Amino acid sequence: DQQVKQNSPSLSVQEGRISILNCDYTNSMFDYFLWYKKYPAEGPTFLISISSIKDKNEDGRFTVFLNKSAKHLSLHIVPSQPGDSAVYFCAAVKNNAGNMLTFGGGTRLMVKP
Amino acid sequence: DVKVTQSSRYLVKRTGEKVFLECVQDMDHENMFWYRQDPGLGLRLIYFSYDVKMKEKGDIPEGYSVSREKKERFSLILESASTNQTSMYLCASSLYDEQFFGPGTRLTVL
């Protein structure tokens, strides 16, 4: 059973608008969360992260929100750009599992010019 | 910048062949990982290693083995390749939580 889920396999957004990518998790032992971005034929690259002691982390156009009670996190991209078109994975780390990441299934974001 | 390299970008093998996938990182990271990526399933951990000669099973180790004889190199071995092992294989390394990935190897088993 997947402990980290991204229920939307794809998302299409107009350039300049907000993109919201969602991620849900089931294991309350997760205490650190990361978002990765993956272009075709490349490995995933780290985008932004958040610790469970925070509910928001911002880096330029990217903001991650964490709702621990709902076991839900979201990545907001504002404004969206065509170069943001990629597959986005959320990942979670358990507080007693060293450096192991558990990944969601990914969401393909398409930003239309 | 961290660099993680994988020996092949594309590989085609036949059922029953032994397959070696090599991964090298240049940042002296202690932790190295092998994942496979399949549509809708995200990245699933096959094996990881915290140090030279150490290995731990991930979520889907069946049909795979690994070798870490040197700190910078982590090899994934498919002892007898099967068609259900056709996938994208990604290697990663890390010092802490953030993992750095290689470009991936697209393996097709015929």
Side-chain angles (χ1 to χ4, degrees):
Chain A
D1 190 29
Q2 280 192 300
Q3 297 184 59
V4 179
K5 291 183 181 178
Q6 294 175 253
N7 290 319
S8 298
S10 64
L11 176 67
S12 182
V13 170
Q14 205 66 37
E15 181 179 6
R17 298 289 186 103
I18 184 170
S19 296
I20 301 175
L21 295 94
N22 294 305
C23 180
D24 297 293
Y25 61 96
T26 57
N27 195 326
S28 57
M29 298 288 282
F30 290 135
D31 67 348
Y32 190 72
F33 304 89
L34 306 91
W35 283 93
Y36 280 82
K37 175 180 179 179
K38 185 181 185 300
Y39 292 117
E42 294 182 15
T45 54
F46 170 74
L47 196 56
I48 192 169
S49 63
I50 188 166
S51 165
S52 60
I53 62 172
K54 293 185 172 182
D55 55 16
K56 176 182 174 182
N57 189 25
E58 194 171 351
D59 183 3
R61 296 186 298 113
F62 302 92
T63 304
V64 56
F65 296 92
L66 175 63
N67 182 334
K68 288 188 291 292
S69 60
K71 294 191 177 68
H72 176 84
L73 62 154
S74 60
L75 174 68
H76 293 211
I77 307 173
V78 183
S80 302
Q81 299 173 354
D84 296 329
S85 298
V87 178
Y88 290 79
F89 293 99
C90 71
V93 183
K94 289 180 195 171
N95 58 22
N96 63 350
N99 306 106
M100 284 180 58
L101 299 182
T102 302
F103 283 86
T107 297
R108 181 177 301 279
L109 173 66
M110 292 162 284
V111 180
K112 297 178 181 177
Chain B
D1 273 356
V2 176
K3 190 156 187 187
V4 180
T5 56
Q6 296 184 229
S7 51
S8 305
R9 295 299 301 270
Y10 300 94
L11 212 51
V12 179
K13 295 291 182 182
R14 302 241 171 233
T15 302
E17 280 193 80
K18 191 168 186 175
V19 182
F20 293 88
L21 302 181
E22 302 284 336
C23 175
V24 178
Q25 51 97 0
D26 66 357
M27 281 302 290
D28 204 36
H29 285 169
E30 294 182 348
N31 309 310
M32 295 190 75
F33 307 83
W34 274 106
Y35 295 89
R36 61 178 283 177
Q37 181 198 353
D38 300 288
L41 298 177
L43 278 71
R44 292 180 294 166
L45 182 65
I46 304 171
Y47 267 97
F48 61 101
S49 170
Y50 287 139
D51 203 349
V52 175
K53 296 193 185 296
M54 289 183 62
K55 59 184 178 184
E56 296 285 342
K57 292 180 180 179
D59 298 320
I60 50 165
E62 296 78 20
Y64 303 95
S65 61
V66 290
S67 171
R68 189 146 181 222
E69 297 297 317
K70 293 184 178 181
K71 192 174 186 178
E72 67 271 19
R73 188 179 297 270
F74 192 34
S75 303
L76 180 70
I77 304 151
L78 286 68
E79 295 290 341
S80 177
S82 64
T83 54
N84 63 12
Q85 292 178 310
T86 291
S87 186
M88 169 70 81
Y89 289 88
L90 291 158
C91 173
S93 73
S94 77
L95 195 55
Y96 302 112
D97 288 324
E98 181 186 341
Q99 294 183 13
F100 298 86
F101 285 84
T105 296
R106 170 73 63 186
L107 172 67
T108 301
V109 183
L110 302 177

